[in-house]
Amino acid sequence: MTSDLLAPLDLAFWNIESADHPMHLGALGVFTAHSPTAGAHAADLLAARAAAVPGLRMRIRDVWRPLDLRQPLSLGLRQPLSFGGAAREPDPGFDPLNHVRLHAPTADFQAVAGRLMERPLERDRPPWEAHVLPGKDGVSFAVLFKFHHALADGLRALTLAAAVLDPMDMPAPRPRRAEPPRGLLDDVRKLPGLLRGALSDVGRALDIGASVARSTLATRSTPALTAAPTGTRRTAGVVVDIDDVHLVRKAVGGTVNDVLIAVVAGALRRWLDERGDGSEGVAPRALIPVSRRRPRTAHPQGNRLSGYLMELPVGDPDPLRRLDAVRTAMDRNKDAGPNRGAGAVALLADHVPALGHRLGGPLVGQAARLWFDILVTSVPLPGLGLKLGGHPLTEVYPFAPLARGQSLAVAISTYRGRVHYGLVADAKAVPDLHRLADAVSEEVETLITVCGP
């Protein structure tokens, strides 16, 4: 197992982290327990299996290497990762017992998950953790997985988590085609093409930058989503029947994702009105991440993300008009593609030298609130039933990291016929997160009513 340099976006996530804004993903899985000792058995299994998963033994270490002038990447045409960057490398002292922790029984998995999500991962060890939470009822337990965003995006995190669950049949990955070694002459011959590509990349970067600037104008958000950060965390989960979502989709058109995003907009409206903040004229900018990863690559590590940016129609009182506005905005984003527009700002990481990520990371983290107000992301899950120690996984709530200056993030996963909304909030800014969770369920019921026969 060898080391590899972090891709530009991974490096950005590693450097914008702070103690109050940890950049880890989370997933809370709830399992049916066959006995009161199932949680302890699950913790033993996770620790034993983690030792055999190469990706879980990788730590991230800062590197300062001189530029290699034989490589085109070092000519300034693209990101020179080898200078002031970071690399994943095997941890010679890896001990899975430092990463898998068994907690005392609890009656509230979400309350414990919120407290655990606010703790940053240790940066001198492989940046992941698994927390096993036995249920006080004796018939369930939960596992909270945490993966640093520099180690894994949603798909990679799923791959790593699946590796420590019970084995299941998965499609074989496509083998990676080996590339022959290149010499300096080969690189010089390719220089004209690289220059054309660089000019195209610069043009695209300027286009994205202009779109980001325009996106900050003429929108009204709400202090409820952009309150002063406190570093605390609270989580909540909502389960929705996928058949209800399909009922709405078939009645009004669009995609399942359009409906799920419109539900977020309607729930925010209910929640803001109920807490007295008011929703009139509110149109928070939502970042919708888009994966640029091929699903069956042999080595799926490294973030491959772009995104769409849209205004959530929170201020519109009509649920069908809200859904139509979401569908129109998503269609417009898809027509433009994930490589252009303000939502593609993550791609600009490729144009920033590694040293720039190191020195400018804190400033970039503070600028997130100028770019978007809320993250709404979908995390893929396999259609097959997952188990741990023979105990079936019944619920799974994904959690996204909170950017600096933002109070709420929403992640969505569909698993075995049910949609799971995972909500993460600043605990002091959003003490009533449970009411927002209730509003999600209420919005689904409203859409079913207005779309029904």
Side-chain angles (χ1 to χ4, degrees):
M1 189 166 47
T2 59
S3 63
D4 64 286
L5 293 169
L6 295 189
L9 191 53
D10 300 341
L11 191 60
F13 286 134
W14 188 246
N15 283 293
I16 65 176
E17 180 175 63
S18 67
D20 288 340
H21 295 88
M23 291 302 298
H24 53 252
L25 311 169
L28 180 67
V30 180
F31 297 81
T32 298
H34 299 158
S35 72
T37 60
H41 177 55
D44 292 340
L45 276 177
L46 291 173
R49 292 172 178 175
V53 180
L56 296 179
R57 301 202 302 269
M58 302 294 282
R59 67 180 180 181
I60 295 176
R61 183 175 63 86
D62 293 333
V63 294
W64 296 84
R65 298 176 182 173
L67 300 180
D68 183 352
L69 295 179
R70 295 174 303 169
Q71 298 182 10
L73 290 178
S74 301
L75 299 178
L77 303 179
R78 292 183 185 272
Q79 156 83 0
L81 288 175
S82 58
F83 186 69
R88 298 183 191 87
E89 64 176 15
D91 183 356
F94 175 71
D95 182 354
L97 296 180
N98 291 328
H99 298 267
V100 179
R101 298 162 192 175
L102 179 64
H103 294 256
T106 178
D108 190 340
F109 296 140
Q110 292 286 357
V112 178
R115 293 192 293 270
L116 293 172
M117 282 295 291
E118 68 186 45
R119 302 180 189 173
L121 294 165
E122 296 188 41
R123 293 170 69 93
D124 59 346
R125 294 201 299 227
W128 68 275
E129 292 174 351
H131 297 270
V132 181
L133 316 176
K136 275 192 174 179
D137 55 14
V139 296
S140 66
F141 67 91
V143 179
L144 175 68
F145 288 102
K146 294 167 56 178
F147 296 98
H148 198 287
H149 219 326
L151 177 71
D153 60 9
L155 184 57
R156 175 65 172 165
L158 170 63
T159 303
L160 293 173
V164 292
L165 298 179
D166 292 355
M168 63 178 182
D169 295 328
M170 295 288 285
R174 263 181 213 165
R176 213 177 194 182
R177 187 170 59 185
E179 294 185 2
R182 298 180 304 175
L184 179 59
L185 183 59
D186 293 330
D187 293 338
V188 170
R189 286 171 178 167
K190 293 178 181 178
L191 193 55
L194 290 169
L195 286 170
R196 286 194 297 270
L199 291 174
S200 175
D201 288 348
V202 169
R204 186 174 64 178
L206 292 173
D207 185 32
I208 293 171
S211 296
V212 171
R214 289 193 299 270
S215 75
T216 64
L217 304 175
T219 59
R220 185 190 165 212
S221 183
T222 171
L225 301 180
T226 55
T230 67
T232 58
R233 294 292 181 270
R234 187 184 305 274
T235 68
V238 189
V239 179
V240 174
D241 195 315
I242 192 64
D243 289 339
D244 292 338
V245 177
H246 281 301
L247 186 153
V248 175
R249 179 190 61 80
K250 291 176 181 177
V252 300
T255 67
V256 166
N257 202 41
D258 294 341
V259 177
L260 298 179
I261 295 172
V263 165
V264 173
L268 286 172
R269 177 181 176 82
R270 292 170 181 271
W271 176 65
L272 290 173
D273 287 343
E274 181 181 283
R275 72 197 320 245
D277 290 333
S279 61
E280 183 178 354
V282 171
R285 293 156 299 182
L287 176 65
I288 317 292
V290 177
S291 176
R292 298 166 59 241
R293 183 192 301 286
R294 293 180 180 179
R296 294 182 64 187
T297 51
H299 300 278
Q301 62 190 23
N303 283 275
R304 299 288 185 270
L305 293 173
S306 180
Y308 297 146
L309 197 68
M310 62 178 293
E311 294 180 15
L312 291 180
V314 172
D316 195 320
D318 186 285
L320 292 183
R321 284 204 305 265
R322 287 196 296 268
L323 180 50
D324 184 65
V326 168
R327 183 174 63 243
T328 300
M330 288 299 288
D331 287 345
R332 185 167 55 247
N333 276 312
K334 291 172 187 175
D335 288 342
N339 295 330
R340 287 193 176 275
V345 71
L347 300 181
L348 296 181
D350 292 334
H351 303 272
V352 177
L355 187 60
H357 284 296
R358 179 185 294 272
L359 300 177
L363 294 176
V364 172
Q366 293 178 26
R369 65 187 303 172
L370 301 177
W371 170 36
F372 66 97
D373 303 303
I374 182 173
L375 180 74
V376 182
T377 183
S378 295
V379 182
L381 288 177
L384 302 174
L386 300 173
K387 295 182 179 181
L388 178 55
H391 305 284
L393 176 67
T394 58
E395 303 168 36
V396 55
Y397 302 98
F399 299 133
L402 279 184
R404 185 184 297 272
Q406 295 173 345
S407 303
L408 178 67
V410 180
I412 309 169
S413 283
T414 300
Y415 175 68
R416 296 185 66 78
R418 300 200 298 172
V419 178
H420 295 77
Y421 283 84
L423 311 178
V424 177
D426 185 291
K428 294 184 179 178
V430 187
D432 55 345
L433 187 63
H434 64 285
R435 276 302 306 141
L436 178 58
D438 292 340
V440 169
S441 298
E442 293 163 6
E443 182 65 14
V444 172
E445 291 299 324
T446 295
L447 285 171
I448 292 172
T449 301
V450 298
C451 295

